[in-house]
């Protein structure tokens, strides 16, 4: 197992992160990061029960010490193995209220999660990814964006500031590390994802929420692209979404 | 054969169009459209020799009569069968010269190909695609864009005007026909494609040109997305491309 | 009068074009172009009555012969004088209907007006503008865009295709002719303009329509920018506009 | 003097901020904010010597306490007067180095300045601006962007993350406070500004740097737009700039 390539999925809850972990677990050992272990325990167990190899590490990506500790554990578990893919799917920073009611902490929560958290994740994974260019699929770093990556709507400034910053980071890394053989992508999720938390949200039409499994398929597709033909940005939305 | 789903690929030369045709021919009968039969004959033969089902029709998509004639032939060949996918990959309109040296015909050539041609193609294929929503993969209409879809560079106005117009059309159709079950996408090809015409173009790094086969894989991926999770726009470029 | 700098305003009706003409007439002789003389007669008379110098020429900018004739007249009237500014404000191509109901002529009407018309206007004015770099304000070519310059909404494809193409042209010309001393700009009008035709359109809030006079002030501001500090794109909308 | 409208300019050095202060000082009392008093002292003296009314307050906008103190002083000085305009022109966060060499503090410096700093500035000025809707010019909040507001270039991630976040904030505030009568704008400065620090930077062509005075003229133009016709985003660059 030591030399089996592995993938790291950050921001795993019972939705997109879990589906991405399941998908990548067909090919790789997977490490799941989330602040709250409750968010990854069941999917870790499920993957291992199905013959995959998964571990979970409680991590606060916005905290350098927590990140340091997590990647030490990763190094112990997978040290000699090549890192095939890293996916940054952290939520957080989704505060919505009138601007003048925001505290500094509420406003900066978007950047803490999407900016600082992504910075730490990228700094830890890129040195490993750069060593993995001999794998069949180019090593890949994917960031999850949102509608707010492109549009700063009224009362959404904390989240939009974080998601805009994340997109800036993704572009910058794609331009710096692409020529070094690491595929950096940014996927814009534009709509409501079909997860337990949104079960009660109903729409006039059926199939109006994004399917986490289908999102994971698109992440995997990006991962399998050869370096001649890399996608940087892909926007995903339900067929009935207004945009 | 009559009820086998089919796909129509417009703009088939010895590059992207041929690769898309080959890829979609694994699942569907394919109809290849190009102005010059020399552009599709060999790939039609190749697909049929490999057990696929391909036909080619010489068509000028910017000419309503030629389009009328082509779709009458398509109707004769595939009338009762569902249209699973339509890909608009026409080139044309790539005139590059100082603006004041352009003739009206040169300037409008970009729109003739990318605007009017795409209009005809969409008007003929959308009524068929709308009938195919019961197929396993949602019926799909994909347009091929370029760097010039997003940026009007100096001396590129004919091509950029055409590609900008094509992107406007793609957006408009995605918003109108998405809720009707047709997946409309726009793929931005940002770089030099590795085709016979560009063989002599050399770069400092290897793998610096887009691989038509890999482009076709991405078109196919878009086609297989469920309607909960449709990608509209994807940009593809080589790992060393400046952007 | 022969050596007084002049400006050409294309697309003059009782709204933005007339206001731009009035504004630029404070500094320059003005030539007003519109297909229908009824659209410019009253503003021409008004400017002349107020001590300005205005002429109107009936012109179809999408028709090369009509353009040829118009610029011969302009040459007769203003031949030795420097052209200080040219504004392309043509409407046209605003057809809104379900895509499958569009005729080819309806779809292409947007490009005929916004693409081909702008092409002719730019080809005729740029050679004159390039000779005017010694004027106090850099010679300026401004194109009027719209919401549809950036977004292809459902059922708006004719207009959006035209406005996207116009924006491509504006970008390309800014990049080619900026270094030659001609200031090319693109102004995006995002909202309903307060003109006679929209008088009956009411909104919940007052001042919810764009004021043509204020639009003209912004065009003039762009015209007065020194070449060190040129604005390319400015979006204008009412304070209550949703965007 | 107590009732004279005033403007606050944040981020004043010997360039754009100083020119904006000079321009707005023709109409308003001006308060200049900068971390280092050396940056505003000479322009404060100059404005007062020329018959204007200027004060400077040493402020670190990323520090809530410093901001609190600064706005208490502003309230003492201008309490009963209406705030006519507020300009956020802070620099900072311009760290350029290979991504893997960045410290957390270096990466977050862009957001500290452009995100958190702009948050504090907006939270303090918007309540005052909202009270000033009876002034001749609509109360205005302008943010200074950069090339990095739209493009995350390689090795620019700290600055780009900050400038992207700032643009998200500006969009969000424009949408929330526009309908409340406050004009929010975002100006993208694309190129080198002609300031003492860049004197030694030479270009092949003359006039290849942005003129701070001309930038200030555009800020003033935005400020004078009526609420029917507000510009949100304007990009400014020298005539020879590549973009």
């Amino acid at each position: 197992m030591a030399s089996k390539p592995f993938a790291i999925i950050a921001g795993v809850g019972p939705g997109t992160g879990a589906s991405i972990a399941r998908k990548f677990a067909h090919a790789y050992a997977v490490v799941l990061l989330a602040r709250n272990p409750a968010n990854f325990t069941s999917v870790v167990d499920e993957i291992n029960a199905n013959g995959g190899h998964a571990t979970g590490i409680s991590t606060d990506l916005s905290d350098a010490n927590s990140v340091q500790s997590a990647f030490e554990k990763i190094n112990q578990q997978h040290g000699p193995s090549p890192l095939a893919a890293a996916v940054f799917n952290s939520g957080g920073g989704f505060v919505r209220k009138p601007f003048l009611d925001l505290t500094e902490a509420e406003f900066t929560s978007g950047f803490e999660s999407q900016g600082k958290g992504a910075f730490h994740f990228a700094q830890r994974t890129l040195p490993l990814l750069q060593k993995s260019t001999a794998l069949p699929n180019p090593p890949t770093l994917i960031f999850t964006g949102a509608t707010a990556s492109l549009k700063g709507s009224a009362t959404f400034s904390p989240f939009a500031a974080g998601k805009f910053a994340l997109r800036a980071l993704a572009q910058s890394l794609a331009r710096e590390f692409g020529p070094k053989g690491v595929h950096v992508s940014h996927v814009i999720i534009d709509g409501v994802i079909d997860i337990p938390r949104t079960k009660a949200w109903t729409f006039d039409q059926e199939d109006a929420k994004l399917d986490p499994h289908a999102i994971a398929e698109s992440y995997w597709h990006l991962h399998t692209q050869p370096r001649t033909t890399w996608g940087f940005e892909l926007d995903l939305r339900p067929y009935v979404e207004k945009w």
Side-chain angles (χ1 to χ4, degrees), chain A residues 156-167:
Chain A
F156 274 92
S157 65
F159 192 59
K163 283 296 187 190
F164 270 57
L166 178 65
R167 187 168 180 250

Side-chain angles (χ1 to χ4, degrees), chain A residues 34-70:
Chain A
R35 206 176 297 200
N36 183 350
N39 280 331
F40 57 65
T41 301
S42 66
V43 66
V44 164
D45 291 347
E46 175 199 321
I47 290 171
N48 288 326
N50 288 334
H53 180 91
T55 53
I57 303 173
S58 172
T59 316
D60 177 357
L61 283 176
S62 64
D63 174 4
N65 290 330
S66 175
V67 173
Q68 168 80 10
S69 166

Side-chain angles (χ1 to χ4, degrees), chain A residues 35 44 46 85 87 101 106 127 146 160 164 183 195 215 217 221 238:
Chain A
R35 206 176 297 200
V44 164
E46 175 199 321
V87 176
D101 296 345
E106 286 172 332
F164 270 57
H183 182 186
I195 55 176
I215 294 174
E217 291 291 329
H221 172 68

